[in-house]
Amino acid sequence: MNRITAVLLAMVALLVHALVVHREPDGTFAPAFESAHVAYVLGRNLAETGQVTWWTGAEGSVGGLASYPSPALVWLATLLELLRTNVDRAAQLVGVLCALATVFLSTRFDTDRIAGVIPALLLVSSGAVAAAGASGTEWPIAMFALAASFVALEHGRGRVAAVALALLVTSRPEGMFAAAALFVLAVMRRLRGPAALERGPAPSPLVFAPAVAALGVAHALGASLLSDARAVLELEPDAVSHGAAQGVDFLVETVTPILLVFPVVALLRRGLSAVGARALAVTVVWVAAVALGGGGPYAFHLAFAPALPIAFIAIQQGMARALDTYRRSMERLVWVSVSIALFGSLLASRFPGDLGRFPFEKRQERLYAAHAAAPIGRAPLLGRAGLHSEIRLVERLRRVGSFLGSRLPEEATVLSPWPGILQWRMRARVIDAFGRIAPDGTPARRWSPEPGPIDLGALLEDAPDLVLPSQSAHGDYLRGELPDLLPERFLTLDPEDGPARRQLTRSQLARYGIIVTTNSSLPSGRAPEPLLLAQRRDTAQPLVLESSLEDGRIQLDLAFEEAPPRATRLPQVLDSMLVAVTGSGRRALLDPRGHEVDGAPVSASGFVVDPAWKSAVSVARFDVAAVEERLGEPLQRLEVRILHHGIAPDDPRSRAAAPVAVELR
């Protein structure tokens, strides 16, 4: 097999790897990561209005280029929007192409020996590279730009290096640190003279001028690249701790970086090539910048992925030095190490499970338990399971966004910790719970994988119409005194003023009521998916329960009252609770047909009431005499309660309408 065929096979293998890991449970290709949709929204608005805004309404514009830390992805989304493409899918395609091109670039060293394909082998086995390519984020762009910059500088391709460096510094804040390291290495190489010219002429410092110009343009347009870079240099303890924990997790689920021991040993023995030493230095700079900045996306920790191609070039150079000893034991060590690393890397791309007859599932679950705190809405798992958690969240939020987008008026506001995909799916304004997308004139918070604490009471002072809590499809809305909008580590709770802050939060929450709604756009044949929201009371459409007793037959109907101004007309998923009280004081639970039931006192299946329906919904209808015959004694009254589906009947928040007592005697 010749070299070109081997590289093409490696690229095909990476494509298959990406298609396998980045898919939904039904086997279809999964959508882009949630955070990437923030850039898509900014790009769409730039294409439509000529301004980089998150949302524009009667009250002014909100957000700008600083709302997302990758101007390159925003500009790419704008271009794709102008080309009338499906932006999120097209962005994923661009990412996959960047990953494939990176594989090709990684093989540009030691082209005359088998060790030259080691970087390609390691790249295609990496779940992080496959996940990055299909993520629709800026990380595969940064990975390609870093690899292209390094290879072009090493081979003296000045024009290619200039373009790649400009892309690198505008793709991510970490790109500035990598570009600075490349600049220092280029100057050192030039100062060393002809001895450093292994592969081509030494790059001129002028090739970095376009990168400086691109950075200046991005900053002038409002990008946050420089401020984000300054935040990395501030060395905040919490960010550094979280970034270090993410680095450990990345090593566990990637495995292949352990092979860096080969170039490190070669460097200590002064046997590492100059290319390998420079690749090792750039790898260290990128990893340090990411770790000191707090890390990156949780699924496969993609922030570290751009360093992998450069790290694998360093590994290749270190292994080449080991192979040059011509000792059979060293040759065996090299290829056994590569094989073990490939197996460990591929292991992270499968769901936890047994390996044939070997009971490995529990061990794999323990191995891939995360050290870093999981972002809101994601499971604390590494590898394929962590990626699946991201995919499930995005899939659920897509349905929620489409549903709310078809129901809410454009002037409505929604507060959520996941602004990207919701805003992508609706025209009503989505308010970021972490303040990363701020109104004009207000400093935005850094887009960080571990955002700092927020003041929930202050957030609710803006009176959003709806609050989408973290437990969006299941679980309790309230835990203790604080709403489950965010896990407790995200809430500002100073021990000295905690009671005052809690009081403020409670007073703001008094303006909101529970609503359990459902995405009616789900395919037919599927049960309605409950969606838990907090709705501002003055925009809620009240429910009224009506009862009638004619000819010994009870009729209970539920309908919406007249809608208030700015009403958010959402269907509700409800349960009915019917209690028959006999003359002796016995209390019997009834179903909607009047039959006595045991166990849960609530209709567990739930029923839907929609403001769009003109007629009332029948809650119960039965003959009183038939019930008395089954119970064996006359009925005194019937007590009826309408509850929010999925919330315990004894919870005071569960009441969806005023209870009704129907006197039968």
Side-chain angles (χ1 to χ4, degrees):
M1 182 185 299
N2 61 38
R3 179 182 179 79
I4 295 178
T5 303
V7 173
L8 289 176
L9 287 177
M11 295 170 69
V12 171
L14 178 60
L15 178 61
V16 172
H17 195 174
L19 294 175
V20 167
V21 299
H22 196 86
R23 61 178 179 176
E24 298 187 44
D26 61 2
T28 59
F29 190 61
F33 282 18
E34 194 278 330
S35 61
H37 288 80
V38 175
Y40 303 162
V41 172
L42 297 172
R44 179 179 64 190
N45 292 340
L46 176 58
E48 293 178 353
T49 68
Q51 298 180 2
V52 184
T53 60
W54 172 255
W55 180 84
T56 302
E59 301 175 356
S61 62
V62 175
L65 195 57
S67 300
Y68 195 76
S70 177
L73 187 60
V74 175
W75 295 333
L76 173 64
T78 305
L79 176 61
L80 296 175
E81 189 73 40
L82 292 173
L83 294 175
R84 305 296 181 185
T85 63
N86 188 337
V87 175
D88 47 353
R89 288 303 192 194
Q92 289 180 285
L93 176 60
V94 171
V96 170
L97 293 176
C98 286
L100 296 178
T102 302
V103 172
F104 173 77
L105 290 171
S106 70
T107 63
R108 295 300 87 197
F109 300 94
D110 285 344
T111 56
D112 58 344
R113 55 194 299 176
I114 188 64
V117 299
I118 287 178
L121 284 175
L122 298 178
L123 282 172
V124 301
S125 72
S126 174
V129 174
S135 67
T137 64
E138 69 276 14
W139 297 109
I141 300 174
M143 180 172 63
F144 166 75
L146 180 58
S149 299
F150 183 83
V151 173
L153 289 172
E154 289 297 325
H155 288 80
R157 304 291 180 86
R159 293 179 181 178
V160 176
V163 175
L165 287 166
L167 179 60
L168 176 62
V169 299
T170 55
S171 63
R172 284 293 308 178
E174 295 86 352
M176 287 186 288
F177 295 99
L182 290 171
F183 176 77
V184 172
L185 293 172
V187 171
M188 292 174 60
R189 183 180 173 192
R190 195 173 182 86
L191 292 176
R192 287 176 58 194
L197 306 183
E198 305 100 331
R199 303 179 183 279
S204 169
L206 292 178
V207 302
F208 291 85
V212 176
L215 185 59
V217 170
H219 180 71
L221 293 175
S224 62
L225 293 170
L226 293 177
S227 60
D228 289 341
R230 283 197 301 270
V232 172
L233 297 176
E234 289 174 358
L235 303 180
E236 297 181 3
D238 291 342
V240 174
S241 175
H242 189 264
Q246 279 208 352
V248 172
D249 289 338
F250 180 74
L251 181 60
V252 169
E253 62 191 350
T254 309
V255 181
T256 46
I258 65 174
L259 298 177
L260 285 169
V261 67
F262 283 94
V264 169
V265 170
L267 180 66
L268 295 176
R269 298 176 62 126
R270 298 185 178 182
L272 186 63
S273 67
V275 172
R278 287 191 287 268
L280 191 60
V282 173
T283 300
V284 170
V285 169
W286 184 277
V287 170
V290 172
L292 296 178
Y298 191 68
F300 272 108
H301 301 91
L302 303 187
F304 295 94
L308 286 178
I310 312 301
F312 294 159
I313 291 173
I315 290 170
Q316 174 209 54
Q317 297 294 304
M319 288 185 168
R321 178 68 182 88
L323 293 173
D324 286 343
T325 61
Y326 298 105
R327 290 190 297 180
R328 184 171 294 276
S329 60
M330 188 60 67
E331 183 177 348
R332 290 175 179 173
L333 175 63
V334 166
W335 295 115
V336 168
S337 300
V338 170
S339 301
I340 293 175
L342 289 175
F343 173 79
S345 183
L346 289 170
L347 185 65
S349 295
R350 69 185 296 271
F351 287 110
D354 295 338
L355 293 175
R357 296 183 178 180
F358 181 65
F360 190 69
E361 182 175 1
K362 297 300 182 182
R363 292 180 175 85
Q364 190 175 357
E365 289 177 351
R366 289 195 297 269
L367 175 64
Y368 292 133
H371 297 85
I376 185 169
R378 281 78 165 182
L381 301 170
L382 303 179
R384 180 75 178 277
L387 177 61
H388 183 65
S389 174
E390 172 76 26
I391 291 172
R392 288 186 60 190
L393 174 68
V394 172
E395 192 267 341
R396 185 170 72 238
L397 290 175
R398 288 178 70 187
R399 297 200 305 268
V400 171
S402 297
F403 166 62
L404 293 180
S406 65
R407 289 281 184 165
L408 299 182
E410 289 191 10
E411 64 271 15
T413 54
V414 180
L415 176 66
S416 173
W418 311 289
I421 201 164
L422 295 179
Q423 190 68 78
W424 181 246
R425 292 275 175 164
M426 67 174 72
R427 291 293 179 177
R429 179 188 169 192
V430 180
I431 302 173
D432 178 28
F434 290 113
R436 298 163 294 192
I437 304 167
D440 289 349
T442 304
R445 300 182 69 175
R446 181 168 170 258
W447 195 275
S448 170
E450 181 75 0
I454 67 169
D455 189 335
L456 184 57
L459 269 179
L460 296 179
E461 285 180 356
D462 293 333
D465 297 306
L466 293 172
V467 177
L468 181 64
S470 62
Q471 303 296 326
S472 60
H474 59 276
D476 292 339
Y477 176 67
L478 295 180
R479 289 183 179 176
E481 297 178 334
L482 291 172
D484 192 22
L485 168 65
L486 300 168
E488 188 171 333
R489 74 178 192 269
F490 291 123
L491 298 174
T492 302
L493 291 176
D494 192 316
E496 296 182 0
D497 59 0
R501 206 174 288 275
R502 282 189 170 90
Q503 182 60 39
L504 172 62
T505 302
R506 280 196 295 268
S507 65
Q508 297 294 345
L509 284 173
R511 304 160 66 183
Y512 290 84
I514 285 293
I515 176 174
V516 181
T517 185
T518 180
N519 184 354
S520 58
S521 65
L522 286 175
S524 58
R526 293 181 60 179
E529 179 183 11
L531 174 65
L532 204 58
L533 300 171
Q535 183 176 22
R536 216 172 72 195
R537 296 185 187 278
D538 58 352
T539 65
Q541 196 167 357
L543 283 163
V544 58
L545 182 63
E546 301 172 344
S547 64
S548 62
L549 180 62
E550 295 183 4
D551 300 327
R553 190 169 183 81
I554 189 74
Q555 173 77 32
L556 298 169
D557 296 320
L558 189 63
F560 283 97
E561 293 183 352
E562 183 179 354
R566 251 182 95 106
T568 51
R569 300 169 60 83
L570 298 173
Q572 296 196 34
V573 186
L574 305 168
D575 289 323
S576 60
M577 180 176 177
L578 284 68
V579 179
V581 182
T582 66
S584 64
R586 175 189 171 191
R587 300 173 67 85
L589 298 173
L590 305 180
D591 65 15
R593 294 176 299 175
H595 295 278
E596 187 175 9
V597 295
D598 296 324
V602 179
S603 57
S605 60
F607 62 93
V608 179
V609 179
D610 196 322
W613 299 339
K614 296 182 179 179
S615 58
V617 175
S618 176
V619 174
R621 182 185 301 171
F622 53 82
D623 187 76
V624 175
V627 175
E628 291 177 334
E629 182 179 352
R630 286 191 290 268
L631 294 179
E633 53 182 313
L635 297 182
Q636 185 70 29
R637 67 181 181 275
L638 182 67
E639 299 175 354
V640 186
R641 293 174 60 192
I642 302 299
L643 310 172
H644 290 294
H645 179 64
I647 301 180
D650 57 352
D651 192 322
R653 297 161 295 147
S654 182
R655 194 178 78 176
V660 170
V662 183
E663 298 294 336
L664 303 176
R665 290 289 185 272

